[in-house]
Amino acid sequence: MGKSALITGITGQDGSYLAELLLSKGYTVHGLVRRTSSFATGRIDHLRRGYDQEAALKLHYGDLGDGTGLRRVLELTAPDEVYNLAAQSHVRISFDQPEYTADVVGLGALRLLEAVRDHSRNNQREVRLYQAGSSEMFGQAAEVPQRETTPFHPRSPYACAKVYAHWQVLNYREAYGLFAVNGILFNHESPRRGENFVTRKISRSATRIAVGLQKRLALGNLEARRDWGFAGDYVVAMWAMLQQPKPEDYVVATGESHSVREFLELAFAHLGLDWHKYVDFDERLTRPAEVDLLKGDASKARRVLNWRPQVSFPQLVAMMVEADLALAQRELKASS
């Protein structure tokens, strides 16, 4: 009998790629979705059509703000593995919604840990839990590159909440023997990235400008440097962490650092455009406390998990631009 997994945030970028991976490995996949007025399952609709939902892919209403609901879903699904990917994950927005971000990202992880602990104890079975950490926890980093032992210095409400969740995972691992791990993932993008994140904002706007649907693009800090990889590669590392004989934390990164300006240049150049002609600086899009440089050292993941990124930075940019160009062309056709 195959394994089963519960993914919180299954309708997000990472959740959709992880669901694809687990289904390909024969898992029964359960996804936690928040009840909203619209059923926002666009990223996983192809999976819902492609698999027998009764056998392989099942969605359940739930929320990290509802501990009782989490316990109910765990009892109903009895997963072997739980992947906590749900979050208010936009750093800039976390400054506007600090309490909500702290509740969902920080306390939400604690509610899930407690629910998993109770489920494991009451049913006398091991449930392995993956917690989605973030390179933003390093913030004003004490060293470059950042590794598992680098001290945290968070610079946003989002990053502070992620640090809280990180230490709760360690606490539950040490206090209760829970198989719980933190994946400290550096920035990872894809054509499924939300449109309010800077990389997707660039690829989306550049392609709309190229086909004549948009004239200008407003951006904030172009000099911030990030370690960008492909989300489809990174979910492989998530899965590998839960297949190990003992729970440990891992940095997942490419080991390269590129500026927002570099991403911008590559995206527009792919379309034969000079970005200088179309991009405006908007101070409102900058953060109150900026994180200037993030670059990860994933040598532990390479050594223990045998994990390496497969998609390069230029390939990632080209992938996103090509996908958004096809989207912009469909929009153009529909408007004519």
Side-chain angles (χ1 to χ4, degrees):
M1 186 174 179
K3 289 183 178 181
S4 67
L6 173 64
I7 304 174
T8 72
I10 193 172
T11 58
Q13 171 189 253
D14 291 7
S16 67
Y17 281 111
L18 180 60
E20 282 182 353
L21 175 69
L22 297 180
L23 287 168
S24 74
K25 293 181 178 295
Y27 279 65
T28 297
V29 176
H30 299 274
L32 194 70
V33 294
R34 286 184 300 124
R35 174 69 179 92
T36 59
S37 58
S38 59
F39 206 47
T41 58
R43 294 185 180 95
I44 59 170
D45 281 345
H46 65 293
L47 297 175
R48 301 177 73 213
R49 291 189 297 266
Y51 288 85
D52 178 357
Q53 293 186 59
E54 293 302 315
L57 178 61
K58 304 175 184 181
L59 301 182
H60 310 268
Y61 285 122
D63 195 296
L64 290 182
D66 178 11
T68 301
L70 293 175
R71 285 174 167 79
R72 175 185 58 80
V73 172
L74 283 168
E75 288 299 321
L76 179 66
T77 60
D80 299 294
E81 299 169 1
V82 175
Y83 296 85
N84 185 29
L85 310 184
Q88 187 304 98
S89 58
H90 197 287
V91 176
R92 180 62 191 83
I93 291 173
S94 76
F95 284 99
D96 300 325
Q97 295 186 299
E99 290 184 35
Y100 173 73
T101 300
D103 184 58
V104 172
V105 177
L107 289 177
L110 176 60
R111 293 185 190 104
L112 184 58
L113 282 162
E114 187 67 3
V116 167
R117 180 173 80 93
D118 286 347
H119 177 79
S120 300
R121 181 181 56 193
N122 294 339
N123 294 278
Q124 296 186 338
R125 58 188 299 269
E126 181 181 71
V127 179
R128 298 188 169 197
L129 182 141
Y130 169 86
Q131 166 64 23
S134 170
S135 59
E136 289 289 333
M137 298 189 297
F138 294 121
Q140 190 169 317
E143 60 181 358
V144 179
Q146 294 89 45
R147 50 185 62 86
E148 290 82 6
T149 56
T150 302
F152 296 137
H153 188 151
R155 299 265 287 171
S156 67
Y158 167 78
C160 290
K162 281 293 187 184
V163 170
Y164 175 87
H166 176 97
W167 286 113
Q168 288 292 2
V169 167
L170 264 70
N171 180 46
Y172 272 67
R173 193 163 72 206
E174 295 175 356
Y176 304 117
L178 203 67
F179 193 111
V181 305
N182 291 294
I184 308 173
L185 272 59
F186 281 63
N187 293 65
H188 45 289
E189 317 297 318
S190 77
R192 300 178 194 174
R193 189 57 140 156
E195 294 183 19
N196 57 349
F197 289 85
V198 66
T199 52
R200 183 74 194 287
K201 184 177 180 180
I202 290 171
S203 64
R204 188 84 170 91
S205 296
T207 54
R208 296 187 86 250
I209 288 170
V211 302
L213 289 172
Q214 185 173 325
K215 294 185 181 299
R216 310 293 300 177
L217 166 61
L219 293 173
N221 181 14
L222 300 186
E223 307 311 322
R225 300 185 66 85
R226 295 292 184 269
D227 187 325
W228 275 305
F230 172 49
D233 289 341
Y234 284 38
V235 298
V236 176
M238 297 179 188
W239 172 79
M241 291 178 207
L242 294 191
Q243 313 314 308
Q244 302 307 305
K246 62 178 181 177
E248 295 185 34
D249 304 328
Y250 298 86
V251 162
V252 180
T254 69
E256 298 180 7
S257 186
H258 300 276
S259 67
V260 175
R261 185 185 299 273
E262 289 177 72
F263 196 103
L264 186 64
E265 289 172 345
L266 281 177
F268 275 78
H270 191 81
L271 299 164
L273 300 175
D274 179 0
W275 69 270
H276 296 88
K277 297 179 180 179
Y278 306 99
V279 177
D280 302 311
F281 172 73
D282 188 339
E283 188 175 358
R284 293 173 298 178
L285 300 176
T286 60
R287 303 178 186 180
E290 185 57 83
V291 174
D292 298 317
L293 171 61
L294 293 174
K295 180 180 177 181
D297 176 2
S299 57
K300 180 181 177 182
R302 288 195 302 272
R303 184 179 69 255
V304 180
L305 306 179
N306 195 29
W307 178 88
R308 287 171 176 78
Q310 302 300 308
V311 177
S312 70
F313 178 68
Q315 288 172 329
L316 174 64
V317 177
M319 175 197 304
M320 294 178 67
V321 170
E322 286 297 321
D324 276 333
L325 181 58
L327 177 59
Q329 289 169 339
R330 291 196 296 272
E331 283 185 307
L332 181 63
K333 184 177 180 180
S335 66
S336 60

